[in-house]
Each structure stands twice: as C-alpha cells, then as structure tokens.
C-alpha cells in the first residue's frame, strides 16, 4: 500500500516544481510559455494605457478656479481691498513654502523632513509611502495656485488703479466734456436700441485713450473706453488713431472699461492702421461688399461666419437666431477655428508631412485666419479654445484636454484679468469644457455603425449646448425648447460655410471669379443655416419662460444633467435592461426580507396574546395589548375536588 506524502514532502515538491526552477532547468519550455502568455500581457498593457489615457487630471482645476476668482474680485474691489487680498495670497503662499513646516503624526508635531520610511528586505529604507507623498503634492498645488492668483491679482490691481485714480478717473467722475485722442482697439458693433437723443444708427467702438484735453489741460493716459457714436463711427478700422469730442460717463460696476465716451462729433483721422491691420481690414470690407448680392439672410450671415463682420446682419434674423440659441453662429467662434485647424492638419497629414511640420503648418494657417478676421481678444480666445476642443475630440485625450484648458484659462486671466467678468469668455470656457469632458464620451456611446464625423457632429453641439445652457439663462431668462435640435441640424452646414467662405476670401484679391463661385456655394449653406433658425423659431413653444438668477441657472444645470443621463440611457438599452433587472431583484429581496421580518414579528405577537394555559396551576393567562397588564382568570380544575354541576338526564325538561 502506497503511503501518501507528508505535508512537508508536498511543500518541498511544490518548491522544486516552481516556475522559476522550471525556467532555470528548461529554458526552451519557459520561452514557449512566455510566448503563449505574450498576447494576454499585451492586451492587459493596452487596457492599462487606455485607462491611463481616459483618466482625467484634476490638479489644475483648483488653480484655474482660484485665479478666476481673484481676477473677478479685482474688477469689483477698490484698490485698497485688492491690495489686502494680494497680501493675504502672498502670505499664504509663503507659509506653504517655508522650510520649517510641520507634519502631524501619532506622536505629535515633528519636522516634515523627518518622515516615516518603509523598511524593505535586508533593512533597506524605501522612502515615504504614497499616502505621505499625497499631502506634499496637494501642498505644492495649493502653493502654485496661490502664486498664480497673486499674479492675476497684482495685474488687476494695476488696472484698477488706472480706472480709479488719476486725472482720467477724475474727468470720468466729473462727466467732463473732452477732446480725446483715441486708438481703435476692436471692430465697431452696431447697437439695435436707439439712443436717448433718438439716434437710430448707433455704434459702439472699443478704443484706447492715449491723450485728452479738458479744462485747458492736456493729459496723457492709457485707459480703455467705449465710444458711443453715430454712423460715421461704423467705418472705424482697428489700429486707426482718431480725434473726437465727447462727454465722459462712468461705466457700469464690474466693467473693465474706465468709462464711456458719448461722441458729439465725427472722428478725425490722425494716423492710419499699420500694414498688418490695413490689409485684413480691406479684405473684410471687400468680402462683405461681395456677399451683399446673395440676399438679406445669406448676405448678412456669410460675412459674420467667415470674417466676423456682423454689420450687415439683419436685425430680425439676429433675434430669430437668439431665440433658438444659435447666436454663436452669427460671428467667428471656436467652432470655426477648430474647423480651419482640423482641415489644415488633415491636409498636411494627407501630404505625408511629419507630425511636427504638420502641426506647425496648421498653426500658421490658423494664425493667418485670425489675422484675416482681426486679432480681437474674442477671436484669439475662440482660436485657443477651438484648438483645445479639437485636440480633445480628435485624439481622445480628455484628461490632457482638461489640463490644457486650465492652463489656457490661467494664462488668459493672468494676461487679461478683465476676462473674468466677461460672459463671452465664460461661454467659451464652458463650451470647451463640455467638449473636453463629454464630447469624446458621447461619441463612444454611439453605435460603431455611425461614422466618426457624424458622431462628432452630434456630440460636439450636444456637449457644448448642455454646458452653456445654465450661463445662457443668466443672460436671457428663457428656455429655447428647440435649441439643441436646431444646433445639431445646423452643425453639418457650418463646415461648408466656413471652409468655402474662407477659401473664397483668400482668393478674392487675386482671382475674383473663382472667389465668387466659392462664395456662392458658401452662401447656399449660409442661407440654409438661416432657414433652420427661422424654421425652429416659428414652431410653437420655441421660447419658454424660465426662472431668473441663480435659481434659473441651477434648475437649467439639473435639466442638462437629466438630458445627458437620458441620452446615455437611450444609447445603452442592454445596460438599462440589466440595471432594471438588477434593481428589480434587489427590490424583491428587500421586500422578501421585510415580509419575513413582519411575519416573525406577527408570530411573536400572536404567541404572546390570547389565552395561555399555565400547567400545574389550573389557570389561563390573558394578555391585552391595550392595557399592558396580565389578567389571570381563575378557572375550575377539570378533576379537582368540589361540588359538581349536575347534568340533567336525557329527555328531562
């Protein structure tokens, strides 16, 4: 009879037959095993890479929000309050960088450099654990955020001092009549509301005040103003130096401008724009004049979507597009910039250019497009946000896209703190955030049979609209019931308008005939965009009332979340069925457990109520739930002594 091996023998045999020993004894077999396991290892490595790529990096979110808050406070606080805020930020940042900072442990307070170390094999010191490195990373993140906020606050303090102190601030406060020398800083914008003097054709022009004369004194300065003037101001070109007379007025609280200038005379040209500004300005005017032959809708919408010139846009069409949430299509936005950049990048890669050369050529083409439109702050911001959104959707790097967005927000706010209170900047950031965070995910939700360009055409407007809706309610307290389908229907028309119109604008000075054909094709799609807007605006319930203020924004944010969840449920029916079945099983289990508990409780109550025989004593005990007392009723014993009750015989009466 064979004796089974002992436990020690089995342990020794397992050690002898270990994988390491087999690899040492038979390297050929070990190599075959490794080759067989290689596909599984490659698959696991790819899955780890995908998970790492989809991981969202949130470390720069807090610095971006802190910088935004500081820059926003700089537009509202007086210089003294802003100085106190900067001092507090500097003190907090210095405290975090002090070398004598301490850590709290179980043994009390000790210097941070005396950290616990882990001991490995042979007494090797492995350094601090991940749990101890996390506070250090958090402290560094907070310190960097405080320093960046300090930079934004310092810049805002300088601009606040220019707005509140000096001769220009005194003249604005006194509402003085001045002779101003101005430099045009942006494109003129037509005002739809007539002025107090009954002037119908009014224009708002952003300018930079270089010098002014009032009270017999000439004062040089550098302050931003907004000129309110008549039709003669509609021809102003960015970069021009003009002289005009007018009356200064204070700006609204929180506005970045030092004041308003109500012009009382036509501007006098002192010096024209530079060559890099004059050429694009003439091209924009020529394009607008050439587009006028395509009708009211297409002729007014095409220059706005291609060159950003909205001077010929019909007021009725503008109101219609505002009703259905398509105002961003009336001028150059991040969508146009992303289309230009994506087309240039695809063309460069088709020509087999290296990745670096393709990126450089695409960025150069985007810079030329921005120069043609006009390097206004809104256009520069749109190009930056469009580039980030394109990178996130095209390459699937949601985590890096969010980091790039935070870096862009921090850089823009440090360079221009006035953007913190701009609704245009807020909408650009929210639209880009929606594309970065949910755009790629919505594309992955769609079935594989849907082409990627069609998936992007659905995901991009959906994500941008859902994230921008709460902020739009603050500007316009109404709910556009058809804003989402209108934007999704117009998304396919924006690309032909942008690409064909841009190509036509580039060929207009050299080959006007070819440019006319391209512009005619673009005008057809521009007219279709206007038709989509008019169709959805004419439907019943196109503009529904919505609560104002914070309540309206909060409820709209909740509604956007519900819409996003509904989209996920509609695109994942199998997961919905599994979830419903799991929820049903869980509810059944809970109800079964509850019913069993109730049954056991009822059984205990039934056992404790009613008549209970007490053996050996000839009594029954009764319990009443109302009184809570136990009443014992004496009953005669069945076989006990005592007089018996006589029973009449049968038949007796």
């Amino acid at each position: 009879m064979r004796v089974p091996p002992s436990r020690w023998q089995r342990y020794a045999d397992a050690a002898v037959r270990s994988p390491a020993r087999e690899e040492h004894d038979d390297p050929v077999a070990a190599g075959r095993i490794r080759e067989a396991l290689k596909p599984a290892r490659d698959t696991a490595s790819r899955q780890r890479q995908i998970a790492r790529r989809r991981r969202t990096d949130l470390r720069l979110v807090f610095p971006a929000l802190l910088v935004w808050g500081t820059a926003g406070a700089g537009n509202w606080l007086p210089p003294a309050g802003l100085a106190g805020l900067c001092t507090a930020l500097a003190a907090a940042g210095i405290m975090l960088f002090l070398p004598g900072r301490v850590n709290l442990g179980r043994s009390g307070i000790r210097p941070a450099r005396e950290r616990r170390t882990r001991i490995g094999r042979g007494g090797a010191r492995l350094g601090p654990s991940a749990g101890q490195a996390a506070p250090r990373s958090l402290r560094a993140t907070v310190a960097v955020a405080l320093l960046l906020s300090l930079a934004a606050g310092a810049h805002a303090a300088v601009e606040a001092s220019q707005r509140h102190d000096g001769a220009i601030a005194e003249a604005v406060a006194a509402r003085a009549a001045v002779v101003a020398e101005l430099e045009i800083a942006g494109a003129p914008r037509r005002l739809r509301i007539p002025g107090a003097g009954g002037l119908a054709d009014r224009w708002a022009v952003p300018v930079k005040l270089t010098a002014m004369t009032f009270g017999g004194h000439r004062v040089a300065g550098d302050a931003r103003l907004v000129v309110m003037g008549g039709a003669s101001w509609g021809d102003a070109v960015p970069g021009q130096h003009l002289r005009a007379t007018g009356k200064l007025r204070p700006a609204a609280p929180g506005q970045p401008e030092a004041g308003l200038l109500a012009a009382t005379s036509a501007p006098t040209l002192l010096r024209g724009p530079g060559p890099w500004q004059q050429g694009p300005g003439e091209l924009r005017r020529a394009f607008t004049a050439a587009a006028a032959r395509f009708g009211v809708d297409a002729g007014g919408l095409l220059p706005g979507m291609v060159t950003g010139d909205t001077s010929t846009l019909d007021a009725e069409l503008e109101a219609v597009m505002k009703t259905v949430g398509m105002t961003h299509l009336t001028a150059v936005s991040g969508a146009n910039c992303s289309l230009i950049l994506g087309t240039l990048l695809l063309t460069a890669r088709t020509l087999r250019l290296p990745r670096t050369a393709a990126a450089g050529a695409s960025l150069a083409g985007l810079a030329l497009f921005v120069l043609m439109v006009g390097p206004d702050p809104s256009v520069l911001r749109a190009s930056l946000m469009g580039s980030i959104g394109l990178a996130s959707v095209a390459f699937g790097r949601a985590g890096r896209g969010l980091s790039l967005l935070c870096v862009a927000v921090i850089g823009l706010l440090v360079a221009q703190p006035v953007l913190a209170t701009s609704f245009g900047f807020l909408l650009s950031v929210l639209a880009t955030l929606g594309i970065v965070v949910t755009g790629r995910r919505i594309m992955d939700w769609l079935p594989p049979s849907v082409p990627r360009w069609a998936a992007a055409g659905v995901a991009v407007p959906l994500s941008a609209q859902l994230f921008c809706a709460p902020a739009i309610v603050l500007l316009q307290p109404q709910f556009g019931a058809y804003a989402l389908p209108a934007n999704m229907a117009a998304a396919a028309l924006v690309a032909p308008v942008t690409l064909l119109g841009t190509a036509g604008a580039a060929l207009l000075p050299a080959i006007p005939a070819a440019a006319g054909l391209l512009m005619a094709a673009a005008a057809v799609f521009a007219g279709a965009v206007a038709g989509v807007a008019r169709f959805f605006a004419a439907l019943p319930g196109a503009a529904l009332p919505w609560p104002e203020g914070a309540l309206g924004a909060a409820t709209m944010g909740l509604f956007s979340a519900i819409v996003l969840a509904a989209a996920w449920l509609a695109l994942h029916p199998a997961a919905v069925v599994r979830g419903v079945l799991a929820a049903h099983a869980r509810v059944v289990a809970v109800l079964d457990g509850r019913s069993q508990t109730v049954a056991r409780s009822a059984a205990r109550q039934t056992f404790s109520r009613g008549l209970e025989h007490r053996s050996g004593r000839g009594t029954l005990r009764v319990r009443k739930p109302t009184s809570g007392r136990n009443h014992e009723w004496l009953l005669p014993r069945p076989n006990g002594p005592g007089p018996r009750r006589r029973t009449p015989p049968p038949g007796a009466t």
Side-chain angles (χ1 to χ4, degrees):
M1 181 177 180
R2 183 178 179 182
V3 179
S6 63
R7 182 179 300 177
W8 173 257
Q9 185 64 33
R10 290 197 300 271
Y11 176 77
D13 293 342
V16 170
R17 292 193 298 270
S18 63
R21 186 62 178 265
E22 290 179 1
E23 181 178 357
H24 180 270
D25 295 340
D26 192 357
V28 178
R32 287 197 296 267
I33 293 174
R34 284 195 299 270
E35 290 295 331
L37 294 178
K38 185 177 180 181
R41 287 197 300 266
D42 294 342
T43 302
S45 177
R46 285 195 298 269
Q47 291 177 352
R48 287 194 299 269
Q49 292 178 359
I50 293 174
R52 186 163 50 249
R53 185 181 64 181
R54 292 184 176 179
R55 188 180 303 159
T56 302
D57 191 354
L58 302 176
R59 288 176 294 179
L60 291 177
V61 173
F62 175 71
L65 293 177
L66 189 59
V67 170
W68 200 328
T70 305
N75 293 324
W76 288 90
L77 294 177
L82 193 54
L85 177 61
C86 293
T87 303
L89 292 173
I94 292 174
M95 288 180 62
L96 289 175
F97 277 110
L98 285 177
R101 56 186 182 271
V102 295
N103 260 351
L104 290 176
R106 294 183 179 178
S107 59
I109 300 177
R110 64 183 185 275
R113 58 178 176 271
E114 298 178 4
R115 301 183 180 275
R116 293 183 180 180
T117 55
R118 294 179 288 116
I119 306 301
R121 294 182 179 180
R125 304 176 72 87
L126 300 180
S129 62
Q132 295 172 345
R136 183 170 52 196
S137 176
L138 177 62
R139 184 169 52 248
T141 301
V142 175
V144 170
L146 291 172
L147 293 180
L148 292 173
S149 301
L150 176 62
H155 193 178
V158 173
E159 294 189 348
S161 64
Q162 294 177 353
R163 291 195 303 267
H164 294 89
D165 300 331
I168 297 178
E170 295 177 358
V172 170
R175 299 177 179 266
V178 299
V179 178
E181 296 180 7
L182 311 169
E183 179 183 357
I184 305 300
R189 180 172 56 90
R190 184 192 294 271
L191 300 178
R192 304 299 181 183
I193 302 175
L199 186 62
D201 195 3
R202 298 173 64 238
W203 294 80
V205 186
V207 299
K208 183 173 69 173
L209 178 66
T210 57
M212 69 176 182
T213 303
F214 76 102
H217 300 282
R218 177 182 172 84
V219 178
D222 185 7
R224 285 192 296 269
L225 299 176
V226 175
V227 176
M228 301 292 184
S232 56
W233 288 90
D235 299 329
V237 178
Q240 284 182 338
H241 290 258
L242 307 175
R243 180 188 293 118
T245 60
K247 189 174 182 180
L248 292 173
R249 292 184 299 173
Q255 295 298 320
E257 292 84 11
L260 305 177
L261 178 64
T264 57
S265 67
T268 302
L269 180 63
L270 298 179
R271 187 170 70 251
W276 65 276
Q277 290 178 319
Q278 185 175 3
E282 294 177 353
L283 179 60
R284 287 193 297 270
R285 289 191 292 272
F287 187 88
T288 302
R293 59 189 176 92
F294 298 120
V296 178
D297 287 352
L301 193 58
L302 182 60
M305 297 182 67
V306 176
T307 64
D309 186 1
T310 59
S311 59
T312 59
L313 183 63
D314 183 55
E316 181 186 0
L317 179 59
E318 184 179 4
V320 165
M321 299 190 73
K322 183 180 295 185
T323 302
V324 294
M326 297 172 61
T327 311
H328 60 282
L329 297 180
T330 60
V332 174
S333 61
N336 305 89
C337 296
S338 61
L339 284 170
I340 295 295
L341 182 60
T343 303
L344 293 175
L345 185 61
L346 181 62
T347 304
R349 295 298 289 172
T350 304
L351 297 176
R352 300 186 180 277
L353 292 179
R355 181 173 299 179
T356 304
S362 302
L363 292 177
L366 181 61
L368 292 177
F369 175 75
V370 170
L371 185 62
M372 180 191 71
V373 174
D376 294 339
S378 60
V379 178
L380 295 174
R381 182 177 67 244
S383 63
L384 181 59
M385 297 301 172
S387 303
I388 295 173
L390 175 66
S392 176
V393 172
F395 303 109
R397 301 297 180 93
R400 292 187 180 182
L402 183 60
S403 300
L404 290 175
L405 176 61
C406 293
V407 171
V409 168
I410 292 172
L412 289 173
L413 290 175
V414 170
Q416 294 182 343
V418 296
L419 294 176
T421 56
S422 171
F423 265 103
F425 179 70
L426 176 62
L427 292 176
S428 296
V429 172
L430 289 178
T432 309
L433 179 64
I435 296 172
V436 166
V437 174
T438 61
R440 186 73 183 189
R441 289 177 172 86
I442 295 176
M443 290 177 62
D444 295 338
W445 293 352
L446 297 174
S449 58
V450 178
R452 302 307 292 171
W453 60 268
V458 173
V460 170
L462 175 60
S463 56
Q465 185 70 26
L466 292 179
F467 274 69
C468 290
I472 294 176
V473 168
L474 296 176
L475 284 174
Q476 188 177 358
Q478 68 179 24
F479 171 63
Y482 309 109
L484 184 58
N487 280 276
M488 294 176 64
L493 305 172
V494 175
V497 174
T498 303
L499 300 179
L500 294 175
T502 303
L507 295 176
L508 186 60
I511 313 176
L517 294 176
L518 293 175
M519 290 178 62
V524 174
F525 292 99
V529 172
V532 169
R534 292 186 181 277
F535 170 76
F536 283 100
L539 294 178
L544 301 176
W546 198 265
E548 299 181 1
L551 177 62
T555 52
M556 182 57 71
L558 179 61
F559 179 75
S560 299
I562 293 174
V563 171
L564 191 62
W568 187 90
L569 294 176
L571 296 173
H572 296 80
V576 172
V577 172
R578 288 194 300 268
V580 169
L581 294 178
H584 178 266
R586 179 64 177 171
V587 171
V588 170
V590 171
L591 293 179
D592 287 343
R594 184 70 60 84
S595 62
Q596 293 176 4
T597 303
V598 172
R600 286 194 297 267
S601 176
R604 286 195 299 269
Q605 292 179 2
T606 303
F607 180 76
S608 62
R609 294 177 182 178
L611 299 177
E612 180 183 0
H613 179 256
R614 304 178 70 180
S615 61
R617 299 179 61 181
T619 60
L620 290 176
R621 182 171 59 188
V622 178
R623 295 182 179 181
K624 295 182 179 180
T626 56
S627 63
R629 300 172 58 188
N630 295 332
H631 300 279
E632 297 183 356
W633 293 350
L634 296 178
L635 298 177
R637 295 183 179 182
N639 299 321
R644 294 175 177 268
R645 183 179 180 182
R646 293 184 179 183
T647 304
T653 57

